Each structure stands twice: as structure tokens, then as C-alpha cells.
Amino acid sequence: MPGAGSRSAGSPAARAARLVADARRAAWHLRRGGTDQVRQWWRRRDLDQRQPRGSIRLGGDGLLEVPPWPLPDRAPRRPDLRVGVILDDFTSLALGYEWDQVALTPSGWREEVDSPRIDLLFVESAWHGNGDAWQYHLTGTSAPRPAIVELVQWCRDHGVPTVFWNKEDPVHYEDFLDTARLFDHVWTTDSDRVADYHRDLGHERVGVLPFAAQQTLHNPIRPADGHQSRDIGFGGMYFAHKYPERREQMDLLLGAADAVSSRMTTGLEIFSRYLGGDERYQFPAPLDQRVVGSLDYPRMLTAYRAYKVFLNVNSVVGSPSMCARRIFEITACGTPVVSTPSRAIGEFFPADEVLQVGGEDEARWTLRALVNSPELRDRTVHTAQRRIWESHTYTRRLDAVLSAAGLSSGSSAARLPSVSALVSTNRPQQLDHVLATVAAQRGVDVELVLLTHGFEPPAELAGQAADLGLRLTLLTEPAETTLGGCLNRLVAAASGDVVAKMDDDDLYGADYLRDQLHALDYSGASVVGKQAHHMYLEALDATILRFPEREHRFTDLVMGPTIVTHRDMALAHPFADVWRGEDTGFLRDVVASGLAVYSADRFNFVQMRHTSVRHTWEATSAELLANARVLSYGRADRHILI
């Protein structure tokens, strides 16, 4: 995936320079740690080179060059559901990860719906539809045209349910109403229009379907370079001739961003959807000086991850359910959104997750605060992302659509897998902590598979677990059994779809397992965990963040107490029968098999380094600090365990 400047980067001189640099680095690793360290360096170098590129550069024409974000090649979540669609490009891309999608054409639909037969017809209020194939068929003076009328009638004759989604409500309600009349089920982005549909359609098969994020596309996976390297971004168009309320919002918000840009490195940068051409869609002075280009959608996905803050303005402000899809998409990509007020945003997100500003001073202060503080940015989006994964993905939205159409199997594609927490402990005094930690996990179907290593569990342990509402499978092994052997026995005894290795004294937030399961979904990785992670050093009374640069990246190493994988994966790649290194051996085996390991967010886990406990991995405070930054002196649980 070449990005800006790829020609010079691929020149013979550049390739020669890279070879020399690689040889020097390999020699340094060889001297420092031998051949094993060279292999590890080479493996990580290869992984980094396969990460998406995100660095934005200035082109010769004075506009920014943005590399496209690679579109994942992943099977749909409902591969057995075949759906004929008429969609605009953004929706087509998002829903294509949800079902077996067939893009219909006006001239060929008779063959397309029956080879094999579709299970559902899903049509949105598309202006162009399937690459302009359906332009003017759904709206306009001659709409609905015969092709769409005949298509819907064929579906009715053959028992195929039909769904129409007006994503342009409330503004274009009348424009698509005649087409909506044709369909069995109608969905709207504006809940205030439901009563109008009941009246005008003569039935109540009407639901509310707001925009959402597609977690396969819109997720916090970071590029190898360029992540949040720029300050404030905005993508859209300016309407000089209509929508005065939107224009007023834009002047306020973008004007505030322009005013604070002198305090920043890159300041406000605008990607105009209609760069050049019709003057009615061009940004006026002084904002015209902030226009840096125009992006297609894959490049906009890169831009979402390249800025510390992204801006949003609203064409509709009073609807309880209609807001721009970019609200969900940008937040899911890990960048905080600052927006002018909208009723719908407040319905979807608390005020501290998507920030709304009503005046220019408030906008200036908010933008400066977010640009200045990475902790504020990441904490803001982390809780908002969890809300998106739980409630605002297309996976969840379509569950409601399919249920209404009679196509629900009773099993939601958005359901989180069940999980078995695996804990091996040789410390009786930690049993209460283990029980309380696992019992506190929210939003997951969890069991605790606990192995007492070298001691018999107390008789009252099962009763304690029952009192906490915790399902417990209890095992014991003699002290002579290796740690790897204990882990394999835990995996074998687990009943969950997913297994999560947890340590007996570390801190796990109540949403730890839920976040990790979501990371398994959006990353598509075989194993997730935390390489960037917090650690409490009791000797210094300090909380540190280790390997901060390894957050939200594909990698070859995550911390052992954070390994989460499908049980089938753990059975296929058993832990080595050793006392130390069983975690890294497992991960090395997974990577060597060509499978992906993903380092998720840094929150909701603290690795504890006590002075009175002998740890399996002995390391000095100085060694631990070498690849870390100090977050605070004392414990920082309130900030980390969110």
C-alpha cells in the first residue's frame, strides 16, 4: 500500500540505506542478546512493516497526501444470510462485513436474486445506488421506476422480505416516500418521523435505524506511523447558499479551531468534499487557507487516525436519533470528536464521551485541552468506544432489522462469546482477591477455572464463589507440576468459547474481559492482550506505563496475565511444559503459524510488582522503567480501571 513519497522511498539509494541500517541494527541486537534477540527484532520489524501506513505528507501541489487505509479482507459475520442490496458506497462497504451481500442492477436483478436465491432485499435511500446503477430509480420525478417496483414485487411473490431504510430523514422524507410505500418494512434515521410513516404508509411496520460504526473498519488499530501526529481535522463541505443553521455552526466551530491553530504545530486542516468547482460549496476566507485537499473514503479512514481531534457539525439538530455517521466512525477509530450541539449526540453519548460546544470560547478551550493531553484524549474515547461496541455497531443494528423481518435465528451476531478466566495460584492468601476480581466482571458470561498449585483449596471456597454468583470449576495440582502443565489443564477444563489467562494478584477493572472480547472481534486477531500496560512498582510507590508505543498494534508479544484467545486456539497451541517462558512460547508458536496477535488498549489492567513477593520474572525497577514512562506516584486505579 504505497503512501505519499513512496517513489523516493523505493529508490535504489533509499533501499541501499535501509539495508545498511538493518545490518547495523541486526549487529547491535546480536551483540546485546545473541541470535534469539536478532530473531525477535526481525520478527517485530516484519510485523511493523505490515502495519498500515498513516504518515501524511505535503505534496508538490501544496495539498496533503494521505495513504489509503487498507480495507480488511474478512468473512461476513452472517455468511449464511444472502442479501440483495441497493446502497450508496459508504453503507455498502459497512454492511458488506455483516452478510453475504449481492449488489443488484436494474437490468440484471432477475438473475442476481436467484443464483442462489436471496433471503432479504435491503434498500436504502440511495441517490446513486450501487455505483450509479440506480440513479433516479428511487427518487425524482419518475421514481419509483419500473425496475425497483418489479424487484420488490418479485420478492413479495417469492416470500422474500423487503426492507427500506431512509437514512436521509428527516430532510428528505418526501423525496423517498413513494419508494418506501413499496416495502414490507421501513426504517428511518429520525424517530420523530415514525408517526408520519404510520400515517402515510397505512401500517406500523416502521422502526428506527440510526447510523453506527462498522467495527471491522472503524476501530482503534493504529498505523505504523503518523498516529495523531496532526492537530485538528475536519472533512466535509461548506454550503454558502443553504442550511443557514449548519453554516452558523461551522463558522463557530471551525472559526474557533482556526483561532487556536497558531498555538499548535499543524492546527486546523480541512478536507473539502468539493475542492474547486462550484463556488457555493467552497470554504470562505479565512477558512479557505485551511483547506488541504479532498479525500476518498479509504484515505479518510487514515485521516480519522492521524488527528488528535476531529470536528463535526450537524445538518439536523433537533432529532433524537439522527446524527452524522462520522460521530460513530471517528470515535471508534480512537479520535475524540468535538461537535456543535445536537440532541441525538446527547441521546447516544454522555457529555464526557463526545464533546459538544455551544460557544466559541468553550470550543477554543476544549480544542486546546484535547490537543495538549493524550491521557484526556484516550480516556475520552475509550469509554465511548465501549459504548459503541455494546450498542452502536451495524452488527447490533441489523439484529433488530432481521428480527422484524422474521429472519432472526434467536442467536445474535453481536453476542459476546462466553469466557473462562484461567487462574493458577500457589498462594492461598490470594484466593479472595481472585474470586472478587472475576465475580466483578461486567457484561460477560464468565466462569472461573481455578487451579490451586501445591495446596488443597479450603472447603468453603465453592460456597464463597456461589455467594458471589460466580460459576467455579476447581482443580488442584501438586507443586511439582510445571506452570505450563497447570495452564494446559485449565484450558482442558474450561467450558467457555474464549479463555483468558489471569494472574492471582494483578488488578483487573470490571470491564476488562468485556473490552478484551470486543478487541478479539474488531481486530480479527487470534490472540489479544496488552503489551502497552500499567504497572505498579511498590518499591518506588509509582505507577508506570510500559511500552506505550505498542498500544493498538499487531505484535508478537503481550503480557502473560492478559492473554485472551479462543479455547480452540489454546488447545491447538498448548503451553510448553516448563516453569518459565510458557507465555512467550505460546505466543511465538501462534505467530510462527501465521496467526495474528493484537495488543489492545492500556486500560483496566495493572500488573503489580510487590517487594515482598518473588515474581516468576525477576527484574529491577531500573530495568522496568527503561521501557516505560511514569504516570504517577502512588496508585492510579481511578484513572486506569475505567
Side-chain angles (χ1 to χ4, degrees), residues 120-396:
L120 173 72
L121 174 66
F122 186 93
V123 178
E124 74 170 354
S125 50
W127 299 103
H128 301 279
N130 296 353
D132 284 338
W134 294 87
Q135 190 174 16
Y136 307 122
H137 282 258
L138 307 182
T139 184
T141 55
S142 61
R145 289 188 177 180
I148 187 66
V149 175
E150 294 167 7
L151 169 59
V152 175
Q153 186 60 50
W154 180 94
C155 291
R156 184 165 290 116
D157 292 343
H158 292 82
V160 175
T162 60
V163 171
F164 183 77
W165 179 34
N166 193 342
K167 70 181 190 309
E168 304 292 341
D169 280 335
V171 178
H172 295 286
Y173 174 81
E174 297 288 346
D175 294 321
F176 290 94
L177 183 60
D178 287 341
T179 295
R181 296 182 200 276
L182 303 173
F183 288 76
D184 300 328
H185 304 272
V186 173
W187 295 80
T188 173
T189 48
D190 179 22
S191 57
D192 283 346
R193 283 294 188 178
V194 170
D196 295 332
Y197 277 116
H198 289 171
R199 179 194 67 228
D200 294 337
L201 300 182
H203 66 75
E204 297 188 356
R205 297 186 303 277
V206 179
V208 180
L209 185 65
F211 289 120
Q214 171 48 257
Q215 63 270 38
T216 302
L217 284 175
H218 312 120
N219 54 59
I221 297 172
R222 294 179 181 176
D225 50 16
H227 175 255
Q228 292 193 355
S229 59
R230 310 188 80 82
D231 295 322
I232 304 172
F234 177 75
M237 68 181 80
Y238 194 92
F239 295 101
H241 61 297
K242 59 181 179 179
Y243 303 132
E245 286 187 353
R246 185 180 187 276
R247 189 166 62 247
E248 183 178 342
Q249 294 177 52
M250 192 171 290
D251 292 342
L252 183 156
L253 187 57
L254 273 67
D258 180 57
V260 299
S261 290
S262 61
R263 296 174 174 267
M264 301 173 184
T265 303
T266 61
L268 171 65
E269 293 176 329
I270 298 171
F271 297 99
S272 174
R273 194 172 299 170
Y274 284 96
L275 183 61
D278 193 330
E279 287 297 322
R280 295 176 300 172
Y281 298 101
Q282 305 309 306
F283 286 83
L287 297 179
D288 60 336
Q289 299 302 304
R290 294 283 172 184
V291 176
V292 293
S294 182
L295 301 181
D296 59 18
Y297 194 62
R299 287 174 171 79
M300 187 59 75
L301 292 176
T302 298
Y304 285 167
R305 296 164 167 90
Y307 287 84
K308 297 178 178 68
V309 185
F310 234 86
L311 306 181
N312 174 72
V313 294
N314 309 284
S315 298
V316 177
V317 298
S319 170
S321 59
M322 172 58 177
C323 66
R325 66 172 88 211
R326 72 175 70 91
I327 296 288
F328 302 102
E329 295 178 357
I330 297 169
T331 303
C333 288
T335 298
V337 174
V338 175
S339 176
T340 49
S342 154
R343 181 182 173 190
I345 294 174
E347 294 289 334
F348 291 129
F349 296 98
D352 61 347
E353 292 181 358
V354 173
L355 309 180
Q356 301 185 63
V357 293
E360 189 165 336
D361 285 344
E362 183 183 15
R364 291 183 184 187
W365 298 130
T366 301
L367 293 172
R368 287 176 59 188
L370 287 168
V371 169
N372 287 337
S373 176
E375 290 291 337
L376 175 62
R377 293 197 300 270
D378 290 352
R379 199 178 191 278
T380 297
V381 298
H382 183 75
T383 54
Q385 285 170 337
R386 183 185 297 138
R387 194 174 307 279
I388 289 173
W389 313 142
E390 290 290 313
S391 304
H392 305 306
T393 64
Y394 284 112
T395 307
R396 290 194 173 275

Side-chain angles (χ1 to χ4, degrees), residues 413-447:
R415 181 188 68 85
L416 287 174
S418 59
V419 59
S420 297
L422 310 182
V423 181
S424 175
T425 181
N426 59 4
R427 294 181 284 187
Q429 69 273 20
Q430 292 301 122
L431 292 176
D432 288 346
H433 174 75
V434 171
L435 292 179
T437 296
V438 178
Q441 296 300 303
R442 292 187 290 229
V444 291
D445 176 11
V446 62
E447 69 165 349

Side-chain angles (χ1 to χ4, degrees), residues 24-38 41:
R24 288 175 175 168
R25 291 190 185 98
W28 183 88
H29 284 290
L30 183 64
R31 290 193 303 270
R32 189 171 185 270
T35 56
D36 285 345
Q37 184 162 321
V38 173
W41 164 75

